[in-house]
Amino acid sequence: MPDEIVDKVCETSDVVVNFEHEILRGRILFEPKYGILSFHSGDVRKYRGRPAAFWQFINGENEIGVTLQRLTDDLDGGFPIVIKSADISDASTYWEVKVKQNRLYDDMLVEGIRLIQDPDFSIERPDELGDLTRQEDIEVWRNTGRLVLKDILGRVTK
């Protein structure tokens, strides 16, 4: 990001929220007083990269998570501010998993902004982070086939 944009952002903002899920690097990550907050569609302690919900569904997880994190140079390896989870053991389809996951985002940003301003709140990195998966690393046909099959089976058994 060009220096003049970083300077302007820091003049006008104490915190930046990244809704675009773009990978940011450089000065912009560390200049705003409270950093850059970004949503990740997984619990970074278990799933980093993309697409987290896909893997949680395929792997038969009983829980889905989302993270509001303060970004660092590490992809989905920032400092978690808020982590929420929901039970998906009764979800038969990927759609049901995504609906439950999307409900977790409610009020997450408000809670995160309150926390980062609280002088008693300390941001700590988890002891362990999940494996990093990248969209391009997925064996597309095999895993897409697994998703479709599991989704069909879920619909049939409902």
Side-chain angles (χ1 to χ4, degrees), residues 55 58-59 141-151:
W55 290 114
I58 287 294
N59 293 336
W141 295 110
R142 184 174 70 110
N143 290 316
T144 302
R146 287 173 60 198
L147 172 70
V148 170
L149 179 61
K150 186 169 176 140
D151 203 69

Side-chain angles (χ1 to χ4, degrees), residues 95-113:
W95 177 255
E96 290 173 300
V97 170
K98 290 299 291 177
V99 167
K100 287 182 178 225
Q101 183 184 48
N102 288 337
R103 287 185 186 139
L104 293 172
Y105 291 112
D106 292 349
D107 300 323
M108 223 175 163
L109 182 58
V110 172
E111 182 180 349
I113 297 287

Side-chain angles (χ1 to χ4, degrees), residues 23-116:
I23 297 174
L24 299 174
R25 301 224 184 272
R27 229 178 101 214
I28 189 65
L29 293 173
F30 308 104
E31 292 288 325
K33 180 177 180 179
Y34 298 111
I36 297 181
L37 301 184
S38 182
F39 295 95
H40 173 64
S41 62
D43 179 335
V44 294
R45 298 169 297 187
K46 299 176 184 174
Y47 291 92
R48 295 171 47 224
R50 294 179 40 185
F54 172 87
W55 290 114
Q56 289 165 307
F57 179 68
I58 287 294
N59 293 336
E61 298 280 347
N62 289 323
E63 198 172 75
I64 188 87
V66 294
T67 305
L68 177 66
Q69 62 181 329
R70 181 177 178 172
L71 295 180
T72 66
D73 283 330
D74 296 328
L75 186 61
D76 291 331
F79 294 92
I81 307 296
V82 180
I83 298 176
K84 290 186 176 184
S85 60
D87 178 31
I88 58 168
S89 61
D90 62 341
S92 302
T93 67
Y94 184 60
W95 177 255
E96 290 173 300
V97 170
K98 290 299 291 177
V99 167
K100 287 182 178 225
Q101 183 184 48
N102 288 337
R103 287 185 186 139
L104 293 172
Y105 291 112
D106 292 349
D107 300 323
M108 223 175 163
L109 182 58
V110 172
E111 182 180 349
I113 297 287
R114 283 188 188 133
L115 284 171
I116 62 173

